[in-house]
Each structure stands twice: as C-alpha cells, then as structure tokens.
Amino acid sequence: MHRYYGESIPFGSAEKAFKDATTLGYLNSAQALADYAEILIHVKEEFEAQKSPIIVIGLSYGGMLASWFRLKYPHIAVGALASSAPILFFEDITPQNAFALVVSNDFKGVSENCYDTIKRSWSIIDEIASAQHGLRLLSTRFKTCKDLKDSSELKKYLEAIYTIAAQSSRSLVQKICQIIDQAPTDDSILDKIMAVVVAIAGDAPCYVIPPESAPDQSDKAWEWQKCTEIVMPGGRGDETMFQRAPFNQNDYNSLCMLLFAIRPRTHWITTYYGGRDIKLTLKRFASNIIFSNGLRDPYSSGGVLEDISETILAVTAEQVLTSWFRLKYPHIALGALAPSAPVLYFEDITPQNAFDLVVFNDFKKVMMQPCYVNPPESAPDQSDNAWEWQNNLLSMISIDTMGNQSHLSRLKKPSKTQPHLDIYTFRVHGA
C-alpha cells in the first residue's frame, strides 16, 4: 500500500494523478510514511487496540520505508524489520559499482568461464554493431522484435537478464552458467549468449525489443520517485563483468528533464532521513531496527551489514548456513561463527512461543500493558514462496505475525482473555 501504486490512486483517477508534476508532486516517501501513520492510528482506534505495539516490516524500498518509519514515527512503531533495504545507496556513501560487483561475484562464484564469457561478449557486440549492416546482423541473430537502432538496446536487455537472475535466485544464475559452460565447443560467444536468452525468456517469436505497450502505472510512479528523491548513483567499473559505464549525473538530470521536466534532488534522502555517518546517527537516535540481508542480493551492498548497537542489529541469511556447514563438514571447516542463527528452532527443542516471548521482552519496556490482537490471515505472496518452501521442508515451528499483504485485513476485536501475545505488524511493500 503506497500512494500512486496499485489501487491507491489520488485525484479520482490515474489519468489525473499522473497528469504532470503538479499532481505527481504528492508522490514521495515522506507522504507515504504519513499515510501509514494515519492508517495505523485509525486501525488501533477501530479495533480498540491503542496499547498494542506495532512493528513495521518491509522489503527492498519497503524495507527502506520501514526503517525510516521507525526513525520518523517512533511513537507509533516500536520496532522495524528492514529486509534488503539499501538505505546507504545514495550520493557517494556506497561505491557506484557496488551493485554490479555483487551481481558479477554471484556469477563468478558459480563459474569463472561463465563470468569471462559474459564479460567478453560486450566488446564483441560493439564490434559487430560498428561494422556495415552490423546492427541488422545482430537483430537477426538475436531475433529482435524490431531492428536494433543501437547496440545499447541489446546490451541493456542482456544486463537485465543477468541482474534479475542475481536478484531472484542462485539457481537461476547457475542455470545461465550451465547453459554457457555446456554449450558445444564450436559455438561462438554470441551463440552461447543467445542460448541464454532463449532459455530464460522462453520460446518466443522475438526477443530484446518487445512490442510497444502503454507504460505500466507503477513503473511510471517509480520513475518519478527515482527522478525526485530515490537517486541511486549506480555505475559499472572494470572490475565487474559488465561493460564500463560510470554514473553520469548530467545524463541522469537530462533524462529526468525529458520525462518530467524536473531536476533530481540528489541530496534530499540523506538530508531528510540521514545516511552519512549512519552508524553514529542510528546509535544516537534510533533503536529496535533489524536490517536483514542476503549477501548475494545486489542491494545488500547498500544495506546495513553490521550491528550498530544492542537494538540496531544486522542479520544475514548466511549466518544460519555457517553453523550447519561446520557440523556437516568438520574436516573442511575448523570452526564457525554464526550469530543470530536459530539452529534449535525445530521440532519441540524450542518452545513454540519462544519467538513471541523474545519479541515481547524486547519491547515490553515501551508498552504500558499487553493487549492482544489476532494477526491478519492471507495467502502468501510470490516473494515469500522460496522461504515458505524451505520453511515447509525444515518444519520450523513458529507463529507468523507478519501478515502477507500490504494492508491489514480480517482483523478481529482484541480479546482481553486471549492467553498469548500477538503483535500488530504492518508490512510495507516497495515499488
């Protein structure tokens, strides 16, 4: 739930809301946080749960919102879980090529040959494109839906395939590298790359430049935010598998002027929410925020990866696996450091309500008295499928108090006699 996304459209219609800068000006993160504050206060009043604590949870941009909400509205949310939240991906706080470097290392970790093949493909594409009728040749070879006007169209398409694969799952990266590594020896580099396109995009009549369609409403909303406040200066250096392309602020400004006739506010996020000297800032003014990241996720490079205080914690997906590796392969690993790894959260080893009790004890100092509210019931969304699959396999016994939609629904009135504690959570989805 975020204004200008999905069904949350102001001014009565999308046509009016997206008309120009005068109406789009109400689309920004600060206004979205204010919306959440109003909604949460209303929900508490509606269900007579004024004393119930609220924890905000978000992923990606939603994770950024969750952490910012805790900073801006500490009287409403007692804590936040910010997953894959790149709050440090602004100005020059994080190196410009950090995102591309993680993607590259994901591929290099699977196969050096795969990494080298992709890295060499860019110059080959440019070499062919610069020759007479070269673009037509590339268009035919990659079965483009329209003739290429520039080699950058093909390269951007391929960059998207590799980046989405790294963001989605290691298995997809492995699939791409398997296709490249197992290709016939007489296949050229571009033959291997084309095989990847077909395997990932599926059997289609054409690729690369899809038929033109009306821009998606959510895409346009996100482009507006990227041009007004979420300015992440991502570039690519020689140490990545991508072609060198440093971030150019002037080009970025020109694009935003072309799209919306506005100039980006490159320093607004760090001014309004902070970013520089983030450890000192969070240590002084923040509490009860958990930043979680998977280190193969490219956005982790702009996230908080170290504990800042006793109540500002960083958790990585690798911490659980570290402890298991030591147990399974003691002849390889002499030891293991695995903080925050719930390796005893199986069968009846740990009491079923242990998680809730820890959360309650962490936050009881800010609660006047316990109030009890049933969590929302909803079907898991697509982003949860992978973890739900592993969760079912591992048979972890826990109580899901997250809710799996971006709004609170089907809530019941609190029961004063209910014998356990459930905590209101409000999940914030990104664009």
Side-chain angles (χ1 to χ4, degrees):
M1 180 174 59
H2 190 302
R3 55 170 61 195
Y4 290 79
Y5 291 94
E7 298 180 4
S8 302
I9 303 300
F11 300 104
S13 70
E15 183 179 0
K16 292 182 179 179
F18 288 87
K19 181 181 179 181
D20 53 37
T22 59
T23 52
L24 277 169
Y26 295 96
L27 168 55
N28 58 70
S29 58
Q31 291 283 356
L33 295 183
D35 290 340
Y36 298 147
E38 289 285 347
I39 291 169
L40 291 173
I41 291 173
H42 169 74
V43 169
K44 285 185 137 186
E45 293 176 350
E46 179 72 15
F47 296 99
E48 301 175 8
Q50 285 84 353
K51 299 300 181 181
S52 291
I54 293 174
I55 302 172
V56 290
I57 299 172
L59 170 68
S60 190
Y61 171 53
M64 297 161 72
L65 292 175
S67 64
W68 293 338
F69 190 90
R70 170 60 184 160
L71 291 173
K72 294 296 184 180
Y73 297 93
H75 57 293
I76 295 178
V78 299
L81 172 58
S83 180
S84 187
I87 63 171
L88 304 180
F89 234 133
F90 298 94
E91 298 181 27
D92 58 354
I93 300 172
T94 297
Q96 292 183 11
N97 68 335
F99 183 98
L101 191 58
V102 174
V103 176
S104 301
N105 288 336
D106 286 348
F107 279 83
K108 181 182 283 189
V110 171
S111 166
E112 287 271 1
N113 176 65
C114 176
Y115 171 92
D116 290 336
T117 300
I118 293 172
K119 189 176 180 70
R120 290 165 58 193
S121 69
W122 311 116
S123 60
I124 295 174
I125 291 173
D126 283 339
E127 182 179 355
I128 295 175
S130 64
Q132 187 176 16
H133 307 304
L135 288 174
R136 185 180 302 173
L137 177 62
L138 287 173
S139 299
T140 301
R141 196 163 193 171
F142 283 90
K143 294 178 64 176
T144 62
C145 299
K146 288 184 177 181
D147 288 341
L148 294 171
K149 296 179 180 179
D150 191 88
S151 63
S152 63
E153 294 175 311
L154 174 58
K155 290 187 289 185
K156 287 180 180 178
Y157 179 83
L158 296 174
E159 288 169 3
I161 288 179
Y162 307 139
T163 300
I164 292 173
Q167 288 183 265
S168 300
S169 69
R170 185 171 177 81
S171 62
L172 199 52
V173 174
Q174 291 171 332
K175 179 179 180 179
I176 291 174
C177 287
Q178 185 179 41
I179 293 168
I180 291 175
D181 292 342
Q182 295 182 359
T185 54
D186 57 346
D187 274 8
S188 69
I189 286 181
L190 291 193
D191 288 335
K192 297 175 183 178
I193 300 300
M194 181 57 190
V196 169
V197 171
V198 174
I200 298 301
D203 187 14
C206 60
Y207 304 96
V208 183
I209 306 176
E212 291 184 6
S213 59
D216 180 79
Q217 176 181 300
S218 294
D219 289 341
K220 186 172 183 179
W222 185 239
E223 287 299 321
W224 168 265
Q225 287 195 265
K226 286 167 60 179
C227 277
T228 53
E229 55 174 355
I230 311 296
V231 182
M232 296 181 174
R236 298 180 296 278
D238 293 330
E239 63 274 31
T240 75
M241 70 179 192
F242 299 99
Q243 199 166 32
R244 179 178 175 79
F247 177 77
N248 188 306
Q249 187 66 60
N250 290 331
D251 289 347
Y252 195 98
N253 293 347
S254 297
L255 178 60
C256 292
M257 287 296 294
L258 177 65
L259 293 175
F260 304 108
I262 57 171
R263 186 176 295 275
R265 298 182 296 172
T266 56
H267 306 292
W268 175 244
I269 291 295
T270 56
T271 300
Y272 192 69
Y273 299 111
R276 295 192 175 281
D277 298 321
I278 191 66
K279 291 184 178 181
L280 180 61
T281 300
L282 292 179
K283 190 172 184 178
R284 284 178 173 175
F285 303 110
S287 64
N288 299 342
I289 302 176
I290 298 174
F291 293 96
S292 66
N293 286 279
L295 297 183
R296 292 195 184 101
D297 173 16
Y299 279 114
S300 67
S301 57
V304 176
L305 301 178
E306 298 178 356
D307 291 352
I308 292 177
S309 70
E310 292 183 355
T311 60
I312 304 292
L313 306 178
V315 178
T316 64
E318 286 73 11
Q319 288 172 342
V320 174
L321 298 179
T322 298
S323 60
W324 286 342
F325 187 89
R326 166 58 182 158
L327 292 174
K328 186 66 176 177
Y329 302 101
H331 58 293
I332 297 176
L334 297 177
L337 177 62
S340 302
V343 295
L344 302 181
Y345 224 138
F346 300 92
E347 299 182 9
D348 58 354
I349 301 173
T350 299
Q352 293 185 16
N353 67 339
F355 182 89
D356 280 355
L357 288 176
V358 172
V359 174
F360 172 76
N361 289 329
D362 283 346
F363 294 123
K364 70 179 181 180
K365 62 184 179 181
V366 297
M367 296 190 299
M368 298 299 294
Q369 63 184 44
C371 291
Y372 308 107
V373 184
N374 286 332
E377 298 176 3
S378 59
D381 61 25
Q382 181 177 345
S383 64
D384 296 325
N385 285 346
W387 175 243
E388 287 302 320
W389 171 254
Q390 285 190 280
N391 195 16
N392 290 333
L393 289 177
L394 299 174
S395 299
M396 292 184 71
I397 302 174
S398 183
I399 299 174
D400 179 14
T401 58
M402 289 177 61
N404 289 301
Q405 293 180 343
S406 58
H407 56 84
L408 296 172
S409 61
R410 294 189 292 279
L411 292 175
K412 298 179 181 179
K413 295 283 186 176
S415 169
K416 295 181 179 179
T417 60
Q418 190 171 350
H420 66 279
L421 172 67
D422 286 340
I423 298 177
Y424 262 130
T425 61
F426 189 72
R427 193 173 189 187
V428 183
H429 278 253

